[in-house]
Amino acid sequence: MTEQGSLVAENPAVIMGNLSHQFLSPDGGTMDILQGVSFTVREKEWFTVVGPSGCGKSTLLNVASGLLRPSSGDVRLVKDDRDLKQQEIGYITQDSNLFPWLTAIQNVMVPLEIRGVPKQERVERATEWLRLVGLAGFENHFPRQLSGGMQKRCSIARTLVYEPEVLLMDEPFGALDAITKSTLQKTVLELWEKRQTSVIFITHDLTEAIALSDRVAVMTGRPGRIRAIVDVDIERPRDVYNITDLSTFKELRRELWQLLENELES
Ligand SMILES: Nc1ncnc2c1ncn2[C@@H]1O[C@H](COP(=O)(O)OP(=O)(O)OP(=O)(O)O)[C@@H](O)[C@H]1O
Ligand SMILES: [Mg+2]
């Protein structure tokens, strides 16, 4: 286990330096949401964050994506010693955020269009990603004609289609049924293993956290701080379906659960 602040990775992809954030509360005061959050995600690392509801996980990703400026502290997303451009970052937000006036395939093609990908290739890549997330046959449906889980899958396709350098995912599989969830976990894991993108992943599901990650950070209750960072020492490629049988898995799950339980009680 590595404690907060002691991490200086050799090849950093995301550097969070002493990040704090306050939001205005309805009574006109301020509310501390994040407090002194420091960690470094290595290049090609899958880094997961778990923590109690409302502790600031989505706020943390909003900051990492550049959508929200933190009250204090530094955030850097880098690759080969240069700062990444906004369009090299992929962010699957907690809400699906599809454009309601565009069909599923048009939604998935938007990021490709922005990046100047030719029309034919746009159609091919978007069609393939809709297939991978189980939406073949729904290409021409508008978001309102899709279920909540289908909208979520469409938004996953819309981000993965352009293969970002850093991928930020906020509970991407949370609202899905068990079978779709494990199929998508496998698809995304395979893509990650092939592309070796750096990932920050948020989940409430400890099994998912261990199955997918290199390290798991546990946050405290609000104001969110990093309570501990746990290494997941399980070799890859991993079998997401049977990983729960491993004794290492069981030990890690117990360790993470205890850390989280302490936060929920305090
Ligand atoms: N735009 C905002 N203005 C004011 N307060 C906000 C805003 N966004 C979030 N908050 C507050 O910040 C806190 C953290 O919210 P956040 O969405 O980051 O939590 P979370 O850890 O992602 O929770 P969950 O697990 O339920 O998704 C909450 O108390 C929330 O009310
Ligand atoms: Mg959230």
Side-chain angles (χ1 to χ4, degrees):
M1 190 192 300
T2 323
E3 293 303 325
Q4 174 182 5
S6 61
L7 279 163
V8 182
E10 268 179 26
N11 288 315
V14 182
I15 305 158
M16 302 279 199
N18 205 15
L19 210 80
S20 294
H21 194 69
Q22 289 96 35
F23 275 126
L24 288 176
S25 49
D27 63 11
T30 57
M31 207 181 196
D32 287 328
I33 307 296
L34 296 172
Q35 204 173 69
V37 172
S38 295
F39 60 83
T40 304
V41 180
R42 293 186 278 262
E43 225 171 77
K44 303 172 184 173
E45 183 179 30
W46 188 301
F47 187 90
T48 292
V49 180
V50 298
S53 178
C55 75
K57 301 181 296 298
S58 296
T59 305
L60 187 67
L61 280 202
N62 285 339
V63 169
S65 68
L67 288 180
L68 179 70
R69 231 182 118 132
S71 306
S72 62
D74 302 307
V75 185
R76 280 190 69 201
L77 277 71
V78 286
K79 165 114 193 191
D80 302 331
D81 288 333
R82 66 172 177 86
D83 288 285
L84 289 182
K85 299 192 196 93
Q86 194 72 37
Q87 68 207 56
E88 293 174 290
I89 303 164
Y91 185 13
I92 300 173
T93 54
Q94 199 164 5
D95 305 320
S96 297
N97 272 335
L98 295 171
F99 300 119
W101 61 90
L102 297 179
T103 62
I105 191 158
Q106 287 168 340
N107 263 286
V108 178
M109 287 194 297
V110 167
L112 299 178
E113 207 169 335
I114 292 169
R115 288 161 182 81
V117 175
K119 175 84 189 284
Q120 185 57 31
E121 189 186 334
R122 288 208 296 268
V123 174
E124 282 167 14
R125 282 169 66 177
T127 306
E128 172 61 4
W129 264 103
L130 284 173
R131 187 188 68 75
L132 284 170
V133 300
L135 286 178
F138 291 90
E139 292 83 356
N140 298 318
H141 282 56
F142 287 93
R144 65 173 182 280
Q145 298 168 317
L146 300 173
S147 72
M150 290 161 108
Q151 290 180 29
K152 190 80 213 183
R153 283 185 274 149
C154 187
S155 79
I156 292 172
R158 188 179 59 176
T159 300
L160 297 183
V161 74
Y162 62 91
E163 302 192 347
E165 297 290 352
V166 171
L167 185 54
L168 311 170
M169 293 187 268
D170 197 348
E171 298 192 44
F173 312 130
L176 304 174
D177 64 274
I179 295 172
T180 311
K181 184 173 177 161
S182 43
T183 311
L184 267 184
Q185 284 170 344
K186 199 164 171 287
T187 306
V188 174
L189 199 58
E190 278 167 8
L191 175 89
W192 173 80
E193 269 159 7
K194 204 160 58 170
R195 286 268 300 145
Q196 299 274 286
T197 310
S198 310
V199 169
I200 304 184
F201 183 84
I202 289 175
T203 182
H204 279 116
D205 179 343
L206 293 185
T207 302
E208 174 174 87
I210 300 166
L212 301 178
S213 317
D214 295 313
R215 287 185 298 157
V216 181
V218 180
M219 285 181 75
T220 65
R222 197 181 57 240
R225 289 171 287 111
I226 303 291
R227 166 97 156 77
I229 299 177
V230 176
D231 287 315
V232 179
D233 250 334
I234 300 176
E235 64 179 19
R236 295 187 188 270
R238 293 185 188 158
D239 175 0
V240 292
Y241 298 122
N242 297 311
I243 198 164
T244 49
D245 296 338
L246 299 177
S247 57
T248 325
F249 172 90
K250 290 174 190 157
E251 279 162 31
L252 279 167
R253 199 173 192 290
R254 201 172 315 122
E255 184 179 356
L256 287 170
W257 181 247
Q258 266 169 12
L259 286 163
L260 262 181
E261 210 174 21
N262 288 342
E263 288 313 314
L264 295 172
E265 280 166 4
S266 58

